[in-house]
Amino acid sequence: MSARIVILGAGFGGLYTALAAHRRLGGRAEITLIDRNDYFLYSPLLHQVVSATLQPRHIARPLDRLLPKEVRFVRTTALGVDLDQRMVETETGAFPYDFLVVALGSVPNFYGMTSVQEHAFPFKGLPDALRLRSHLTDQFRAASDDPRRAPDLLRTVITGAGCTGIELVTELHDWMNGPLLRQFPQVPREAVHLMLVEALEYLLCPMDPVLMKRAAQELLTRNIDAQLGTTVRDVGPDAVRLRHGNEEEVEISAGTVVWAAGIKPNPLLKDLPIEFDLRGRIVVNESLQITRYPEALALGDIAAFPDPERGSLAPTAQVAVQQAPVAARVIGAMLEGREPDTFRYKRLGEVVDIGHGSALTEAFGTRFSGAPAWLLGRTIHLAKLPDWGDRATVAWEWAKRSLGVGAG
Ligand SMILES: Cc1cc2nc3c(=O)[nH]c(=O)nc-3n(C[C@H](O)[C@H](O)[C@H](O)COP(=O)(O)OP(=O)(O)OC[C@H]3O[C@@H](n4cnc5c(N)ncnc54)[C@H](O)[C@@H]3O)c2cc1C
C-alpha cells in the first residue's frame, strides 16, 4: 500500500509541498491536500484587488487548475488533529495519514481588543480585500451625497506600518486620489485623509534602513499622515481612539480603520501536547518535524523554525515556499529509511510597492527604488505566480494601468 500523505492548508506552504511531493514521490504516495477554500491566494498582491488594479481571479487561482490529477484535493475545514492516532478531523469526516504536513498559516491578531475585532477591517484574505473595496466606495458615495460629511467619512486609518501596511496605504492613496475622485466629482479632494499608525517609532518592514528612509519620505510627499509611536486604543463604528507615546488619548473621526498590525499562528493545534514558541507557533526541528512526532511536519507561518540570528524565521511566503520541497524530501527520506534532509533558509530579497509606479526593492545583494525597482518587483511577482495564464493577464492589467486605461 502506498503511504498516505495529508497536507493541511493549500497556501504557499501546503500547495508547494503537494506539488513537490507529487514530483518526488509520485506513485509511492497518495497525496491529499485539504483547504477550506478551493483556491490558492497569492497574498503579496492582495492590496491591488482593493483598488481593482487586479481582479480576484488574477491572484486567487482554482486549485483544480494548479494540481496534477493524481493529487486529491478536498475542500473542507479541518477541525483538529490527533497526532497519536494519526488522524485529521474535518467537517466532512476523518482523514487517516502516515505523514502529515501542517501548513495552516496565520490569522489576524487583535491582541484581545474586542472593539478592534468588531469595527476594524482585517486585511488577510480575499473576502477582506473585497469588503474593504466596497466599504470605501460606499464612503465616497455617501461623501458625494453630503460633501459636508466628507472629511469624517474619508479619513482612513491603516494600522501597522509593516510591508503590508505601507503597500496598502500607498495603493489606497493612488486609488482614492485618482479613480475614486474621478468617479465622485462632488467629493472635495482635500477631504481624503490617509493615516498610517504604528506603535513603534519606525516603519516596520524588514528592509535596508536607507530604503525605509526613502519609504518615509515618499509617504510625506504623498501627504500620507504617518503617526509613528502611536497605538490604537479603541475603534468605534466611525471613530478611533489613539495614544501617542505617553500623551493623553485622543479620539478622531474615521470612516474606515484597517487592521494590518499583527498576525498570530492558526490556533487549530494550540491544545495539543506539543511545543510552541512564545508567539504560539509550533516548534519544529531542522527537518521541519514536530517534536516527538517525526511523521508530522509543520511549515510556513504556523511553524517556528530555528534561526540563529532572529530566534526563528519570520512568517513570510518566501520561507514557506522554500520549506515546501524540503518537506517533500524529508517524507521521501523517511519512506526510504534515510536520514531526513535539513532546511536552510536563503533570503532572496524584498519588494515593497509604494504607489505611483514606484517600489522599493532589495534583491541580489543590492537595493533599488523608483521605477526600476517597480519593474524588477513586477518581474519577481510574475515569476512567482503559479501558472502561465496568470502571468500573462496580470502583466496585461499592469500595462493597462501604467497607460492609464480602464483602472479603478
Ligand atoms: C496582504 C498580505 C501581503 C503579504 N505580502 C507578502 C510578501 O510580499 N512577501 C512575503 O514573503 N510574504 C507576504 N505575506 C505573507 C505570506 O502571505 C504568508 O507568510 C504565507 O502565505 C504563509 O504561507 P502558509 O502556507 O504558512 O499560509 P497560507 O498561505 O496563509 O495558507 C494557509 C492555508 O490554510 C487554509 N486554512 C486555514 N485554516 C484552515 C482550516 N481550519 N481548514 C482548512 N483550511 C484552512 C487557508 O485557507 C489557507 O489556504 C503577505 C501576507 C498578506 C496577508
Side-chain angles (χ1 to χ4, degrees), residues 95 120 135 142 189 195 198 286 290 293 324 340:
F95 291 80
H135 171 80
R189 174 172 288 274
M195 276 175 92
E198 169 56 51
E286 291 203 318
I290 299 175
Y293 296 94

Side-chain angles (χ1 to χ4, degrees), residues 337-390:
R338 286 187 288 110
E339 268 298 293
D341 302 52
T342 54
F343 173 65
R344 289 278 167 276
Y345 175 58
K346 191 164 183 302
R347 188 168 184 266
L348 299 175
E350 212 74 58
V351 183
V352 177
D353 275 351
I354 49 171
H356 278 351
S358 187
L360 307 171
T361 298
E362 206 177 54
F364 314 117
T366 176
R367 49 177 197 254
F368 309 62
S369 59
W374 183 87
L375 208 61
L376 182 68
R378 289 296 186 271
T379 312
I380 292 173
H381 280 310
L382 285 179
K384 285 182 180 170
L385 284 170
D387 80 34
W388 279 103
D390 292 354

Side-chain angles (χ1 to χ4, degrees), residues 9 11-13 35-37 43-44 76 78 103-105 266 300-301 315-318:
F12 282 96
D35 202 292
R36 60 185 170 203
N37 296 321
S43 38
T76 186
L104 290 168
N266 190 308
D301 286 8
T316 68
Q318 286 190 48

